[in-house]
Amino acid sequence: MFSARLYAGSLRSLRPAGTFLRHLSTTKVCLGRAVVYANNGDPSSVLSVVSYPPVPSTPPPNSINIKFILSPINPADINVIEGVYPSKPTKTDALTTQGLGSEGKPVFIGGNEGLAQVTAVGQGTANSLKVGDWVIITKQQAGTWMSERNILAQDVARVPQASKLQEDQAATLTVNPPTAYNMLHDFVRLKEGDWVIQNGANSAVGQAVIQIAAAEKINTINLVRSRDNIDQLKEQLTQLGATHVLTYDELADKSTRDKIKVWTGGKPIRLGLNCVGGKETTSMARFLGQDAHLVSYGAMSKQPLSLPTSLFIFKNLTAHGFWQSQWYKTKSAEDRDKLMEVLVGYISSGKLSTPDHEVLQIKSSQSDDEAASTIREIFKKLSEGRYGKKVLLRVD
Ligand SMILES: NC(=O)c1ccc[n+]([C@@H]2O[C@H](COP(=O)([O-])OP(=O)(O)OC[C@H]3O[C@@H](n4cnc5c(N)ncnc54)[C@H](OP(=O)(O)O)[C@@H]3O)[C@@H](O)[C@H]2O)c1
């Protein structure tokens, strides 16, 4: 399997260990680079950057060579590195010829989501990929925080060229927008004018929920944490299509129940989406109507979920969990392509935008140690919370 050994066999058989890098240092061949870790732990301590020999230019059959364009850092990636996420990557010891990522010193390569460009196509690839095509990685935990790799053609999906997506739009297509779309469609048959309430509404998923709901004429009540520039955040979410935005403190105010009744015209709120867990979700759930569904997809507060029993007895509440990875596992490639088509349609028509983000570039001029400090620094900031922007990694 290529996932376990990136260029299984080819590296060792072509180049005896130890000789390749010396050869490179005299001829200045461009090395690949990857963000890796040997052991689980706090990303700001365990992540390293390693250089590795270029991918052999002829890919083995059924595989392609790709060059990564942008790879997001999502909250779940942090949990994967910490070792607390259910889907696990596989270590490789065929990345380098010596040091981290070589035989006896296997490493995980970070990253799950990513946009790449095809640079070479092996014989017999089934999905008619061509050099120059943009692809997104569909295999879970394949390792995307790197500059280039070989991968089985079946582990990617082509970004339709007609869609003319920008790099950031395509790079962030596979995790958050599908989560938002599926949660809005898979649990309750919502009709125009129905109401949804969600917490963590300014998260990337929350922003996609707001926009997809607005495009489908569904009303949203959006809950966020208060902050100094709360009016600016409320305005930003309203611009995206939020019907109403409240802070958790405002939700707790006694007058809010009546306010919401006026907004909804007394219509029951049929769907609640939980990004946060803890008391923010307990209070949100109290606003759900008869026969409503509460769908939990994140636990950003790291607090357990506690729901009043009365909501189940008297309001017939149904509580679910949703995991997009499981959706991908259980659905066919046709279902996945259909979903992508819908989302690409929303993006191309300007109805679904990429959340605020910054591109963190690992420059070729940086040494591996310098690049590792850059990476560790950003993870330190992310772990402090409230960073406010998605980080998209570009590894030169
Ligand atoms: N189940 C799935 O299939 C699936 C798919 C995608 C994402 N997710 C999960 O969904 C969550 C959001 O992901 P994302 O990429 O959209 O995140 P994101 O853009 O990084 O945003 C994180 C959100 O969490 C909020 N937050 C962080 N700590 C919090 C706390 N202690 N209390 C309340 N709110 C807090 C932030 O609010 P502030 O702005 O106030 O800091 C922000 O709204 C993550 O848990 C992620 O793992 C799950």
Side-chain angles (χ1 to χ4, degrees), residues 74-76 175-176 179 200 202-205 225 227 275-276 280 297-301 322-325 386 390:
N74 287 315
V175 175
N176 295 326
T179 302
N202 61 323
S203 66
V205 176
R225 286 199 280 190
R227 62 202 70 216
C275 167
V276 173
E280 285 81 0
Y297 68 96
M300 288 304 296
S301 71
F322 177 79
W323 193 23
Q324 184 58 36
S325 303
R386 319 210 75 173
K390 268 271 163 255

Side-chain angles (χ1 to χ4, degrees), residues 73-77 79 85 174-180 183 199-207 223-227 233 248 274-277 279-280 296-303 321-327 355-356 382 385-391:
I73 298 175
N74 287 315
D77 298 324
N79 303 141
Y85 200 70
T174 44
V175 175
N176 295 326
T179 302
M183 291 193 303
N199 59 27
N202 61 323
S203 66
V205 176
Q207 292 186 42
L223 310 175
V224 293
R225 286 199 280 190
S226 192
R227 62 202 70 216
L233 177 61
Y248 301 113
N274 167 29
C275 167
V276 173
K279 60 183 179 4
E280 285 81 0
S296 296
Y297 68 96
M300 288 304 296
S301 71
K302 299 197 166 113
Q303 295 304 309
F322 177 79
W323 193 23
Q324 184 58 36
S325 303
Q326 189 62 19
W327 189 96
D356 258 5
L382 288 170
R386 319 210 75 173
Y387 193 65
K389 277 184 187 169
K390 268 271 163 255
V391 179

Side-chain angles (χ1 to χ4, degrees), residues 36-217:
V36 302
Y37 54 106
N39 297 301
N40 291 119
D42 176 351
S44 66
S45 340
V46 300
L47 289 178
S48 302
V49 172
V50 295
S51 297
Y52 53 91
V55 179
S57 56
T58 307
N62 302 317
S63 77
I64 54 174
N65 289 348
I66 54 175
K67 182 172 171 37
F68 280 98
I69 299 172
L70 282 179
S71 304
I73 298 175
N74 287 315
D77 298 324
I78 296 172
N79 303 141
V80 172
I81 298 166
E82 291 167 337
V84 297
Y85 200 70
S87 59
K88 313 275 183 204
T90 311
K91 276 187 170 179
T92 176
D93 65 357
L95 181 64
T96 59
T97 50
Q98 56 190 12
L100 268 185
S102 65
E103 204 169 354
K105 293 185 181 167
V107 288
F108 299 110
I109 298 168
N112 175 51
E113 193 177 24
L115 169 70
Q117 186 159 38
V118 178
T119 53
V121 179
Q123 281 185 342
T125 57
N127 42 7
S128 64
L129 288 164
K130 297 186 304 302
V131 170
D133 280 349
W134 275 11
V135 291
I136 44 184
I137 312 305
T138 53
K139 182 183 164 68
Q140 297 299 306
Q141 307 305 336
T144 59
W145 297 345
M146 61 194 312
S147 54
E148 59 179 76
R149 66 171 292 168
N150 174 270
I151 191 165
L152 288 175
Q154 69 189 36
D155 293 338
V156 305
R158 188 189 357 240
V159 179
Q161 275 172 337
S163 63
K164 301 249 165 29
L165 295 190
Q166 306 289 318
E167 290 179 352
D168 57 340
Q169 294 170 325
T172 53
L173 183 63
T174 44
V175 175
N176 295 326
T179 302
Y181 183 90
N182 287 327
M183 291 193 303
L184 284 170
H185 291 88
D186 287 4
F187 298 94
V188 182
R189 196 177 287 271
L190 293 168
K191 297 187 300 296
E192 266 188 44
D194 277 345
W195 288 83
V196 172
I197 190 165
Q198 66 163 340
N199 59 27
N202 61 323
S203 66
V205 176
Q207 292 186 42
V209 165
I210 290 171
Q211 295 173 86
I212 294 167
E216 300 182 2
K217 299 196 168 50

Side-chain angles (χ1 to χ4, degrees), residues 308-367:
T309 312
S310 57
L311 295 183
F312 292 97
I313 300 174
F314 303 118
K315 282 196 175 169
N316 193 31
L317 174 73
T318 310
H320 313 256
F322 177 79
W323 193 23
Q324 184 58 36
S325 303
Q326 189 62 19
W327 189 96
Y328 281 127
K329 261 189 221 157
T330 53
K331 300 286 178 171
S332 64
E334 202 183 5
D335 288 332
R336 184 190 69 198
D337 291 350
K338 251 191 233 159
L339 175 59
M340 287 300 142
E341 212 175 287
V342 173
L343 294 172
V344 165
Y346 278 140
I347 294 170
S348 307
S349 60
K351 290 178 178 157
L352 181 57
S353 61
T354 310
D356 258 5
H357 59 274
E358 69 181 34
V359 173
L360 177 67
Q361 187 167 8
I362 300 299
K363 297 191 189 107
S364 53
S365 58
Q366 286 179 294
S367 70

Side-chain angles (χ1 to χ4, degrees), residues 242-298:
T243 320
H244 296 284
V245 185
L246 292 171
T247 65
Y248 301 113
D249 300 334
E250 287 168 337
L251 189 74
D253 192 287
K254 281 204 175 89
S255 65
T256 301
R257 190 164 284 278
D258 288 339
K259 217 185 255 175
I260 289 182
K261 255 192 199 148
V262 172
W263 291 345
T264 59
K267 243 181 156 182
I269 300 175
R270 302 186 61 207
L271 179 65
L273 303 177
N274 167 29
C275 167
V276 173
K279 60 183 179 4
E280 285 81 0
T281 311
T282 312
S283 47
M284 179 178 80
R286 293 183 200 278
F287 287 84
L288 290 169
Q290 188 69 33
D291 299 327
H293 292 249
L294 174 69
V295 182
S296 296
Y297 68 96

